[in-house]
Each structure stands twice: as structure tokens, then as C-alpha cells.
Amino acid sequence: MLYHIIAHKMGIPEKEIAFIHSYNTEEKKVTLYKKVNEGKVRVLIGSTFKLGIGVNVQERLKAIHHLDVPWRPADMIQREGRIIRKGNMYENVFIFRYVCEGSFDAYSWQILENKQKFISQFLMGSAYQREAADLEENVLSFAEVKALALADPRMKELAEKENELANLRILNNKFIGAKRVMKEDIIKAKDYISKLNILILATKQNTAELANKTAEDYKELRKELAQILLPETIAEENTKIYEFWGYEIITPNVQRQDKPSLILRKSGAEYRIECGDSSAGNALRVTNQLEKLNVMILTYQKRVEDKKLFIEKTQRNYETENPYSEKLKSLERYVKNLKNTIETS
């Protein structure tokens, strides 16, 4: 065989050169793989199918030579997966791709490039990106080899610039997407502040109305509630259980059986109270909630201040100018002109 003869003429002993197709049984293949890993076979020649999945010969591989263009990007990955693999004793390896200038190789690399583009689009699509683009490093490699086969340095530049343009579009889309998210976050934060302010006003009113309640009043209330806040009663969903001092005690629309809760409601304000298995304990939780309403006002006010700071910071970021738009427009014009120059020459 030609490959065998060339390798032999380069000074490699014939016994250190192997052609995978000559090893037609599993037992022979295993023996061959062992010789390659031991360094007894220095040159191994074969097809993608024969030297693909399941061929573990990576221990001493230093270089791989692609003598033709595979039909699928996955085939290229399979080939290079023999050498770019854990267990290889070399930190640096070499990958050679051979093309014939001005030949059909250019078309073959074009097909491979298009397939890789499609695969990359599918695997790397995201919410902010709605258009397909060259998003994979392998795309540039395939395009560059195609350009070399065409024997036109402008093609290589075009491949590089198109890849740069694709990456710039990703960054631009990310920036635009991030601004969209920031705008939504600001709207949500303002809405949250409005709700908190309503809650603060209602809680202040509720606190003022409790000012004339005595310890004896709370004691009597606990006795009443202990007769009502039974575990089986609390287990019901979306139910009004009891009313006192203008407050309603209701259960949530969806009640968690493992961690039930109650909602205490008055003046448009709602306070959620976690419950337990003891009705007396549940009654105590309700009165404790009433006694700490004034503390909750401070908590709500702190949340309002935090949200205001968040809005200020987010607004500053939102107003930042797009650092990619002008460069993107300039590069798009350059790529368009370069294409026109190549097509008309």
C-alpha cells in the first residue's frame, strides 16, 4: 500500500507500521491496540469506522493525520478523540489536515462546515438568541481548511471575520437580552415596593388599633383560638376559620399537609403564620404575630430601602451604552464588502 511504502521509506521499520483493515478479528485488534500503546507499532493507518469508537490506543499517540475529509463533523470528532483523550502521556499533540489546493476538497470542507454550523446552532441556542449563527470553534477550523483548499487568502480572512462577527453578535444579543431582563426587574421591583407600602400603611393602622389591648385580652383570645385552631381544621384549604377584633383567619388556597399555615388578614394586609400539631401552640402563634406587628413594619421598610437601592443600581446598568453595536455594524459592512470583492474577482 502507498501509505505503508511512504512510511517505510521515511525510516520506520515495516513491523512498526500497521493497517487496521489487516486485523479482521477482535482478538487480533486487541493485540494490535496493545502494541500501539506499548510503542511497538508507531504508525497506525485506518478509516474512521475502523479506528473510531472503542479504539483505545491513546497512550503514546503524538500526531494524527487526516488524509481525507470525513462526511460528518462527528466523524472528525471520533478521529481526533483517539488522540485528544485522557491517558495520553504527551501534554502536546499534533493534528494535521491535508487538502489539495483547487480540488474537490474545498466542496467537501464546505459541506462539513455547513453541517457543523447547523449542529452548533441547535446545541447552543438560548432565549436571547433567536437567529442561527456560526457559534462553534470547529466551524472556523473547517472554514479555514476550506479556504486553504481554494488557494485564496481572502477566503481565509473571510472565514475568520465571519467567525468574529458571529461571536460579536452573540455578545451583542447577550447585552440586549440582559437589558431586557434589567428593565423587567425594575418594573417588578417598583411593583413590589408599591405592595410593600400598602402593607406598611395597613400594618401601621392595625398596630394602632391594638394599642388598647391588654394582656388579659390576649389571654382570653388564646383560649378562644385554642378551641378552634385544631390540626384537622387547619388542614382544610381556602376556608375562613374564625374572625376576631376585625381580623379574619383563613387557610391558603393550597395547604401543605407537611407544613400547614394560616393567613391572618385585616385592612388589606395579610400575615402568614406557620402552624403545628398543637391547637394551643397555634393560638399562641397568632397572638405572637399580633404583638410583633410593629417590628414587622421596620422589616417592610428595610425591604423597601433595599429594593430602591436595587433599582438605582439596575437603572445605572440599564443606561450603559451598548459597547458592541458600532463595532458590529462596522464588521458587518467589512464582511459584506469582502464577500462582494471575492465574488466579483
Side-chain angles (χ1 to χ4, degrees):
M1 293 178 295
L2 179 60
Y3 303 148
H4 200 284
I5 294 171
I6 293 173
H8 182 54
K9 286 189 175 182
M10 294 294 291
I12 301 174
E14 186 174 347
K15 66 178 181 178
E16 296 179 6
I17 304 170
F19 185 53
I20 187 64
H21 292 70
S22 301
Y23 298 78
N24 51 15
T25 67
E26 286 302 316
E27 185 177 353
K28 290 180 180 179
K29 289 178 182 177
V30 171
T31 301
L32 172 62
Y33 301 158
K34 183 179 179 182
K35 288 181 178 179
V36 174
N37 284 325
E38 290 175 349
K40 295 178 180 177
V41 170
R42 294 168 57 197
V43 177
L44 180 58
I45 304 168
S47 64
T48 305
F49 179 75
K50 291 287 186 179
L51 288 178
I53 298 173
V55 178
N56 300 316
V57 292
Q58 70 275 5
E59 292 183 21
R60 295 175 182 268
L61 293 188
K62 186 63 178 176
I64 182 171
H65 301 259
H66 298 288
L67 301 180
D68 63 358
V69 187
W71 185 242
R72 303 170 300 181
D75 294 333
M76 183 67 75
I77 294 172
Q78 278 301 323
R79 290 183 183 185
E80 296 178 357
R82 301 316 96 205
I83 190 169
I84 305 175
R85 196 168 185 174
K86 186 177 180 180
N88 193 321
M89 63 184 290
Y90 298 108
E91 291 185 5
N92 299 306
V93 295
F94 297 92
I95 296 176
F96 298 93
R97 294 172 180 172
Y98 299 93
V99 295
C100 183
E101 194 171 275
S103 72
F104 190 74
D105 285 351
Y107 176 78
S108 299
W109 282 107
Q110 175 72 68
I111 294 296
L112 195 65
E113 176 189 4
N114 291 339
K115 290 179 179 179
Q116 183 61 50
K117 286 179 182 178
F118 169 76
I119 294 169
S120 298
Q121 292 165 5
F122 181 78
L123 293 179
M124 299 184 68
S126 61
Y128 62 82
Q129 181 187 331
R130 295 178 178 271
E131 294 185 1
D134 310 356
L135 307 176
E136 171 66 47
E137 289 181 359
N138 287 338
V139 172
L140 177 59
S141 299
F142 299 154
E144 284 182 319
V145 178
K146 177 189 70 175
L148 290 172
L150 290 172
D152 188 339
R154 294 174 301 177
M155 287 298 297
K156 184 176 185 299
E157 182 185 8
L158 179 60
E160 292 172 344
K161 292 300 181 182
E162 284 183 333
N163 193 73
E164 182 182 347
L165 182 59
N167 291 329
L168 197 57
R169 281 173 176 158
I170 292 174
L171 294 174
N172 183 64
N173 288 339
K174 279 185 177 180
F175 184 85
I176 294 172
K179 290 196 73 169
R180 184 167 55 247
V181 171
M182 283 186 280
K183 185 176 181 179
E184 293 172 355
D185 287 345
I186 291 172
I187 293 172
K188 290 178 182 177
K190 289 180 178 179
D191 182 59
Y192 183 66
I193 288 175
S194 297
K195 291 178 179 178
L196 279 175
N197 285 331
I198 293 172
L199 186 57
I200 289 170
L201 288 174
T203 303
K204 284 181 177 179
Q205 180 182 330
N206 294 338
T207 302
E209 293 175 0
L210 289 172
N212 62 344
K213 299 298 181 183
T214 65
E216 189 62 29
D217 291 329
Y218 281 104
K219 183 178 179 181
E220 289 300 320
L221 178 60
R222 280 192 289 271
K223 287 181 181 179
E224 291 177 30
L225 295 178
Q227 303 299 317
I228 297 166
L229 303 183
L230 303 171
E232 56 269 25
T233 304
I234 294 173
E236 298 179 14
E237 296 180 343
N238 194 25
T239 303
K240 181 179 176 180
I241 297 178
Y242 193 61
E243 187 172 343
F244 69 93
W245 302 351
Y247 290 89
E248 290 180 329
I249 299 179
I250 61 176
T251 55
N253 293 332
V254 179
Q255 183 66 284
R256 288 182 56 181
Q257 301 304 315
D258 60 326
K259 199 173 183 179
S261 62
L262 291 173
I263 297 174
L264 192 61
R265 182 167 64 191
K266 185 183 179 182
S267 305
E270 293 185 352
Y271 315 103
R272 185 175 289 268
I273 304 169
E274 292 186 0
C275 298
D277 297 330
S278 167
S279 59
N282 293 334
L284 180 61
R285 290 184 178 93
V286 171
T287 56
N288 285 344
Q289 180 70 48
L290 294 174
E291 291 175 331
K292 68 178 183 181
L293 287 184
N294 57 339
V295 177
M296 293 185 66
I297 293 173
L298 299 176
T299 301
Y300 298 148
Q301 290 173 335
K302 177 64 167 58
R303 291 178 185 173
V304 168
E305 293 305 314
D306 289 343
K307 279 299 177 182
K308 286 181 178 178
L309 291 174
F310 169 79
I311 291 173
E312 290 177 8
K313 180 180 178 182
T314 306
Q315 187 67 39
R316 286 196 299 270
N317 291 332
Y318 180 76
E319 293 171 357
T320 302
E321 292 187 8
N322 189 335
Y324 309 109
S325 58
E326 289 303 318
K327 187 176 180 181
L328 181 60
K329 292 176 184 177
S330 176
L331 190 57
E332 284 175 338
R333 288 194 296 269
Y334 184 84
V335 169
K336 183 179 179 180
N337 293 335
L338 184 58
K339 282 182 177 180
N340 291 336
T341 302
I342 294 172
E343 290 173 359
T344 56
S345 60

